[in-house]
Amino acid sequence: MNEPYPRINRWVLPSATFSATLRAVQEESQSVREAGALWLGSRADTAHVTAIVFPTGKGVQATAGKWKVSPEVFGVVTRWAKPQGLCLLGVVHTHLHGVPPRLSRAD
């Protein structure tokens, strides 16, 4: 039986992707809200991150103590990504200054 999530041994993340992620979450934190991004690409021994999604609006809770994306939003992202051969590789999530990085029950 094949593993549903092959092990990733190496990440390829263009500097522009990293910079865009930092810029977006820093902008959101100026409004005193936690923020996040979804990194998409190809999952293999070497994973290439080729797209970033910054979920906002209905279905996304962004407060001073929480950043939560609803299953419906993940579904919309999946329906957009799948035909392009993309899958979710990582979730980037921030905490505001002074908020300890604790894992949620889902984590």
Side-chain angles (χ1 to χ4, degrees), residues 68-91:
K68 184 177 180 181
V69 179
S70 72
E72 291 81 10
V73 171
F74 276 112
V76 169
V77 171
T78 300
R79 285 190 296 278
W80 170 81
K82 182 80 172 154
Q84 300 179 63
L86 302 173
C87 70
L88 179 65
L89 294 174
V91 177

Short mmCIF file of all heavy atoms in Angstrom, two decimals, residues 68-91:
data_model
loop_
_atom_site.label_atom_id
_atom_site.label_comp_id
_atom_site.label_asym_id
_atom_site.label_seq_id
_atom_site.Cartn_x
_atom_site.Cartn_y
_atom_site.Cartn_z
N LYS A 68 -8.05 30.67 12.28
CA LYS A 68 -8.70 29.40 11.98
C LYS A 68 -9.34 29.46 10.60
O LYS A 68 -10.02 30.42 10.27
CB LYS A 68 -9.77 29.12 13.04
CG LYS A 68 -10.46 27.80 12.91
CD LYS A 68 -11.44 27.61 14.06
CE LYS A 68 -12.15 26.28 13.93
NZ LYS A 68 -13.11 26.09 15.01
N VAL A 69 -9.10 28.42 9.82
CA VAL A 69 -9.65 28.32 8.47
C VAL A 69 -10.68 27.20 8.47
O VAL A 69 -10.38 26.08 8.89
CB VAL A 69 -8.52 28.04 7.45
CG1 VAL A 69 -9.09 27.91 6.05
CG2 VAL A 69 -7.47 29.14 7.50
N SER A 70 -11.88 27.49 8.00
CA SER A 70 -12.96 26.50 8.01
C SER A 70 -12.71 25.40 6.98
O SER A 70 -11.99 25.59 5.99
CB SER A 70 -14.29 27.19 7.71
OG SER A 70 -14.34 27.56 6.35
N PRO A 71 -13.34 24.24 7.19
CA PRO A 71 -13.24 23.16 6.20
C PRO A 71 -13.74 23.61 4.82
O PRO A 71 -13.21 23.17 3.79
CB PRO A 71 -14.13 22.06 6.76
CG PRO A 71 -14.20 22.33 8.23
CD PRO A 71 -14.10 23.83 8.37
N GLU A 72 -14.73 24.49 4.79
CA GLU A 72 -15.26 24.95 3.51
C GLU A 72 -14.21 25.74 2.73
O GLU A 72 -14.10 25.62 1.50
CB GLU A 72 -16.51 25.82 3.74
CG GLU A 72 -17.70 25.04 4.25
CD GLU A 72 -17.67 24.76 5.76
OE1 GLU A 72 -16.81 25.32 6.48
OE2 GLU A 72 -18.49 23.96 6.23
N VAL A 73 -13.42 26.55 3.43
CA VAL A 73 -12.36 27.31 2.76
C VAL A 73 -11.29 26.35 2.24
O VAL A 73 -10.82 26.49 1.11
CB VAL A 73 -11.75 28.37 3.70
CG1 VAL A 73 -10.52 29.02 3.09
CG2 VAL A 73 -12.80 29.44 4.03
N PHE A 74 -10.91 25.36 3.06
CA PHE A 74 -9.96 24.36 2.58
C PHE A 74 -10.51 23.65 1.34
O PHE A 74 -9.77 23.34 0.41
CB PHE A 74 -9.63 23.33 3.67
CG PHE A 74 -8.55 23.77 4.61
CD1 PHE A 74 -8.85 24.06 5.92
CD2 PHE A 74 -7.24 23.89 4.19
CE1 PHE A 74 -7.87 24.46 6.80
CE2 PHE A 74 -6.24 24.29 5.06
CZ PHE A 74 -6.55 24.58 6.38
N GLY A 75 -11.82 23.41 1.31
CA GLY A 75 -12.44 22.78 0.15
C GLY A 75 -12.34 23.63 -1.10
O GLY A 75 -12.04 23.12 -2.19
N VAL A 76 -12.56 24.93 -0.97
CA VAL A 76 -12.44 25.85 -2.11
C VAL A 76 -11.01 25.85 -2.62
O VAL A 76 -10.77 25.79 -3.83
CB VAL A 76 -12.89 27.27 -1.72
CG1 VAL A 76 -12.52 28.28 -2.79
CG2 VAL A 76 -14.39 27.30 -1.46
N VAL A 77 -10.05 25.91 -1.71
CA VAL A 77 -8.64 25.90 -2.10
C VAL A 77 -8.30 24.60 -2.83
O VAL A 77 -7.64 24.60 -3.87
CB VAL A 77 -7.71 26.11 -0.88
CG1 VAL A 77 -6.25 25.90 -1.25
CG2 VAL A 77 -7.93 27.50 -0.29
N THR A 78 -8.79 23.49 -2.31
CA THR A 78 -8.52 22.19 -2.92
C THR A 78 -9.12 22.10 -4.32
O THR A 78 -8.46 21.62 -5.26
CB THR A 78 -9.08 21.05 -2.04
OG1 THR A 78 -8.44 21.11 -0.77
CG2 THR A 78 -8.84 19.69 -2.66
N ARG A 79 -10.37 22.58 -4.48
CA ARG A 79 -11.01 22.54 -5.80
C ARG A 79 -10.27 23.40 -6.82
O ARG A 79 -10.25 23.10 -8.01
CB ARG A 79 -12.48 22.94 -5.70
CG ARG A 79 -13.35 21.84 -5.10
CD ARG A 79 -14.83 22.14 -5.23
NE ARG A 79 -15.26 23.32 -4.50
CZ ARG A 79 -15.53 23.35 -3.19
NH1 ARG A 79 -15.40 22.25 -2.46
NH2 ARG A 79 -15.92 24.46 -2.62
N TRP A 80 -9.64 24.48 -6.36
CA TRP A 80 -8.84 25.32 -7.25
C TRP A 80 -7.49 24.66 -7.55
O TRP A 80 -7.02 24.67 -8.68
CB TRP A 80 -8.63 26.70 -6.60
CG TRP A 80 -7.63 27.54 -7.31
CD1 TRP A 80 -7.85 28.30 -8.43
CD2 TRP A 80 -6.25 27.70 -6.98
NE1 TRP A 80 -6.68 28.92 -8.81
CE2 TRP A 80 -5.68 28.58 -7.93
CE3 TRP A 80 -5.43 27.20 -5.97
CZ2 TRP A 80 -4.34 28.95 -7.90
CZ3 TRP A 80 -4.09 27.57 -5.94
CH2 TRP A 80 -3.57 28.44 -6.90
N ALA A 81 -6.86 24.08 -6.52
CA ALA A 81 -5.50 23.56 -6.65
C ALA A 81 -5.41 22.24 -7.40
O ALA A 81 -4.49 22.04 -8.21
CB ALA A 81 -4.89 23.40 -5.25
N LYS A 82 -6.32 21.33 -7.14
CA LYS A 82 -6.24 19.97 -7.68
C LYS A 82 -6.11 19.93 -9.21
O LYS A 82 -5.24 19.24 -9.72
CB LYS A 82 -7.46 19.16 -7.21
CG LYS A 82 -7.47 17.74 -7.65
CD LYS A 82 -6.57 16.90 -6.79
CE LYS A 82 -6.77 15.43 -7.15
NZ LYS A 82 -5.60 14.64 -6.87
N PRO A 83 -6.94 20.66 -9.97
CA PRO A 83 -6.81 20.61 -11.43
C PRO A 83 -5.45 21.12 -11.93
O PRO A 83 -5.05 20.83 -13.05
CB PRO A 83 -7.94 21.52 -11.94
CG PRO A 83 -8.92 21.58 -10.83
CD PRO A 83 -8.11 21.45 -9.57
N GLN A 84 -4.77 21.89 -11.11
CA GLN A 84 -3.46 22.42 -11.48
C GLN A 84 -2.32 21.52 -11.01
O GLN A 84 -1.16 21.87 -11.15
CB GLN A 84 -3.28 23.82 -10.90
CG GLN A 84 -4.34 24.79 -11.40
CD GLN A 84 -4.15 26.16 -10.80
OE1 GLN A 84 -3.13 26.80 -11.02
NE2 GLN A 84 -5.13 26.59 -10.03
N GLY A 85 -2.68 20.39 -10.42
CA GLY A 85 -1.66 19.46 -9.95
C GLY A 85 -0.99 19.90 -8.65
O GLY A 85 0.11 19.46 -8.33
N LEU A 86 -1.67 20.76 -7.90
CA LEU A 86 -1.12 21.27 -6.65
C LEU A 86 -1.78 20.61 -5.45
O LEU A 86 -2.95 20.22 -5.52
CB LEU A 86 -1.32 22.79 -6.55
CG LEU A 86 -0.73 23.64 -7.66
CD1 LEU A 86 -1.15 25.09 -7.50
CD2 LEU A 86 0.78 23.50 -7.68
N CYS A 87 -1.03 20.49 -4.37
CA CYS A 87 -1.60 20.00 -3.12
C CYS A 87 -1.07 20.85 -1.98
O CYS A 87 -0.08 21.57 -2.13
CB CYS A 87 -1.28 18.52 -2.90
SG CYS A 87 0.45 18.19 -2.55
N LEU A 88 -1.73 20.77 -0.84
CA LEU A 88 -1.31 21.51 0.34
C LEU A 88 -0.03 20.90 0.88
O LEU A 88 0.01 19.71 1.19
CB LEU A 88 -2.41 21.49 1.40
CG LEU A 88 -2.10 22.22 2.71
CD1 LEU A 88 -1.95 23.72 2.45
CD2 LEU A 88 -3.21 21.95 3.71
N LEU A 89 1.01 21.71 0.99
CA LEU A 89 2.28 21.25 1.54
C LEU A 89 2.51 21.75 2.96
O LEU A 89 3.15 21.07 3.77
CB LEU A 89 3.44 21.71 0.66
CG LEU A 89 3.49 21.13 -0.74
CD1 LEU A 89 4.61 21.79 -1.54
CD2 LEU A 89 3.69 19.62 -0.68
N GLY A 90 2.01 22.94 3.25
CA GLY A 90 2.26 23.48 4.58
C GLY A 90 1.30 24.60 4.92
O GLY A 90 0.76 25.26 4.04
N VAL A 91 1.11 24.78 6.22
CA VAL A 91 0.31 25.88 6.74
C VAL A 91 1.25 26.74 7.57
O VAL A 91 1.88 26.25 8.51
CB VAL A 91 -0.87 25.37 7.61
CG1 VAL A 91 -1.64 26.54 8.20
CG2 VAL A 91 -1.78 24.46 6.80
#
